[in-house]
Amino acid sequence: MQIGNKTITFRMSAAYVAKLALLTALAFALYLAKFNLPAIFPSFLEMQFSELPALLAGFSMGPVAGVLVVIFKCLLKFPLTSTAFVGELTDMLLGVAIVLPASLIYLRRKDKKHAAIGLAVSTVCAVAVALLVNRYISIPFYTTLYFDGNFNAIVGMCSVIYPNATADTFYAFYLGLGIVPFNLLRCAIMALLTFLLYKRLSKILHWEGTSLIHRLSGSYECDNEEETYALAKKVADTLKGGETVLLSGDLGAGKTTFTKGLAKALGVEEEVTSPTFTVLNVYEDGRLPLYHLDMYRMENGDELGELGIEDTTPANAVKVIEWNKFENLTGRIIDVKITVEGENERIFEISDSAEHKKEHRTFAFTKKADGKAV
Ligand code: ADP
Ligand code: MG
């Protein structure tokens, strides 16, 4: 699916299904844990925060996952319905109005600002949908279902809170003083909780499954330099010597930062600097020799040969190449593509040639070698 310049990839891995199930279960539990605020709102307005896990799903796994949590949560409630499914269906509508705008906006750019804008837009959408749903679906339907169509009964029921409301002015009171502040409060609390919890739960939410095969290939989101260092360590821990790590991405994407993490994990103490001007930096004090190359200003690999660099590279060296121009690389190649998503957010797409021939089982969908589902 194409949205703007972003592609939503369906990653139906076992980890995806597990996370979706867990967040749906949480959403369902929160859906049942509803309560009233009878002093300020009519008693049939029930406060609950079941969209919170859906928002977490939407932010971490994409809009599709967020909407699925909303839908499954409501479907689970169907057997317990006391409103001939109308309550569950309107909650489904309301849930989508909350989760979809926020996760779509966050998908465009994954930073705090877009999370905040997304949650604000969601709040406005939720209030709008709640107004329409209550005016044209819920109240008319419940009047028929519980009060034999006697609208005055509902007006009477709310007279403690809206003593001045008549049958003619009921909607103005109920929508203006009930639905609007009630939904603003509900969305504000969920937005705040999403903000507080999302980063804290980020590790769990982005869990990609544990495999017996040590697997690097796949897409990783790093939200700060520390996470990039951690990813570089994960790569470094698989190195035995002789590998080539190719780094690509725009200027400032994090190629040198990633190399710093790699060097640190290999035990290099010397400070790693960009080889932009030196072409090649060599670090020999780590577990394996690290050859860090920047080919930006080179036409092709032959130029390096002329410099005699290849001949002097030991067989067990790990070669890290920014702006690679070699064409016939052999041995294990770890291709790392970095995309800038926000001020500190980066997506690392790793493809490990050592894993290309292996089969990887996935759930329902087939996975391409680059780790993306098709
Ligand atoms: P490149 O070598 O690709 O031109 P650098 O590694 O030199 O890029 O620069 C990346 C810049 O982005 C650094 O200033 C670094 O502090 C910053 N940065 C912010 N967040 C991250 C992140 N998650 N991963 C890597 N670098 C990041
Ligand atoms: Mg650099």
Side-chain angles (χ1 to χ4, degrees):
M1 198 191 305
Q2 194 77 29
I3 292 184
N5 58 351
K6 292 276 153 53
T7 306
I8 301 180
T9 336
F10 292 91
R11 249 189 277 158
M12 274 291 195
S13 63
Y16 183 100
V17 175
K19 284 187 286 188
L20 205 65
L22 185 73
L23 290 164
T24 301
L26 264 173
F28 183 56
L30 286 171
Y31 196 23
L32 296 180
K34 56 195 177 190
F35 57 94
N36 298 319
L37 297 168
I40 27 176
F41 297 116
S43 58
F44 49 86
L45 281 185
E46 288 166 330
M47 189 57 92
Q48 47 88 10
F49 305 112
S50 64
E51 284 89 356
L52 176 63
L55 280 168
L56 294 174
F59 278 7
S60 59
M61 298 155 71
V64 176
V67 169
L68 284 177
V69 170
V70 168
I71 292 174
F72 289 146
K73 166 202 85 175
C74 293
L75 290 180
L76 282 173
K77 177 86 186 321
F78 267 17
L80 306 173
T81 189
S82 54
T83 59
F85 310 122
V86 170
E88 288 73 27
L89 288 170
T90 52
D91 282 343
M92 209 184 272
L93 219 58
L94 204 58
V96 172
I98 293 176
V99 172
L100 200 56
S103 49
L104 279 174
I105 290 171
Y106 187 67
L107 182 73
R108 291 196 76 87
R109 214 174 166 93
K110 293 185 172 169
D111 54 20
K112 278 214 175 74
K113 188 177 141 204
H114 284 76
I117 296 173
L119 289 165
V121 172
S122 276
T123 303
V124 174
C125 289
V127 170
V129 170
L131 284 172
L132 290 172
V133 159
N134 273 276
R135 174 62 184 85
Y136 297 107
I137 303 174
S138 308
I139 295 293
F141 180 76
Y142 296 140
T143 308
T144 314
L145 186 70
Y146 298 119
F147 302 104
D148 276 336
N150 179 6
F151 191 61
N152 284 317
I154 288 219
V155 180
M157 217 180 129
C158 298
S159 63
V160 186
I161 296 167
Y162 312 128
N164 299 325
T166 63
D168 289 335
T169 59
F170 173 75
Y171 275 121
F173 279 94
Y174 174 66
L175 297 178
L177 300 176
I179 291 303
V180 172
F182 179 83
N183 281 283
L184 283 178
L185 178 67
R186 206 168 82 78
C187 289
I189 291 173
M190 285 197 292
L192 188 73
L193 289 173
T194 304
F195 247 88
L196 290 176
L197 290 174
Y198 182 60
K199 279 289 131 168
R200 265 156 239 238
L201 299 179
S202 187
K203 271 238 164 64
I204 304 170
L205 293 171
H206 290 108
W207 174 67
E208 292 290 354
T210 318
S211 167
L212 291 176
I213 309 163
H214 200 79
R215 184 169 158 76
L216 277 183
S217 300
S219 176
Y220 301 83
E221 187 186 311
C222 295
D223 291 340
N224 49 54
E225 264 187 56
E226 281 65 44
E227 287 182 21
T228 298
Y229 276 22
L231 179 61
K233 181 177 184 325
K234 191 176 146 98
V235 173
D237 288 347
T238 71
L239 299 175
K240 297 184 179 74
E243 294 88 351
T244 308
V245 179
L246 302 181
L247 295 174
S248 55
D250 296 338
L251 206 70
K255 299 182 292 297
T256 301
T257 304
F258 184 86
T259 311
K260 283 184 186 180
L262 213 58
K264 192 171 167 225
L266 285 174
V268 173
E269 304 243 321
E270 218 179 309
E271 200 200 334
V272 172
T273 52
S274 176
T276 309
F277 298 104
T278 50
V279 179
L280 173 71
N281 288 342
V282 178
Y283 306 93
E284 299 198 290
D285 58 333
R287 177 166 72 80
L288 297 165
L290 180 66
Y291 278 56
H292 186 194
L293 216 76
D294 187 327
M295 300 178 73
Y296 186 69
R297 289 176 301 152
M298 244 160 250
E299 287 288 322
N300 51 49
D302 297 342
E303 278 184 49
L304 268 183
E306 285 159 24
L307 292 171
I309 286 173
E310 277 167 292
D311 312 331
T312 59
T313 309
N316 70 338
V318 173
K319 283 147 281 174
V320 176
I321 311 180
E322 300 188 25
W323 305 103
N324 175 49
K325 304 278 163 66
F326 286 115
E327 278 170 11
N328 304 312
L329 288 166
T330 52
R332 180 177 167 210
I333 297 161
I334 302 165
D335 188 29
V336 181
K337 288 196 174 63
I338 313 173
T339 326
V340 179
E341 286 281 312
E343 193 185 338
N344 295 310
E345 293 80 2
R346 306 285 190 269
I347 301 284
F348 286 78
E349 278 176 88
I350 300 185
S351 164
D352 182 354
S353 72
E355 290 165 354
H356 281 187
K357 288 179 205 79
K358 290 181 192 158
E359 285 285 335
H360 292 284
R361 269 183 301 147
T362 53
F363 229 81
F365 285 68
T366 36
K367 222 174 184 186
K368 283 202 298 193
D370 63 3
K372 276 192 186 146
V374 282

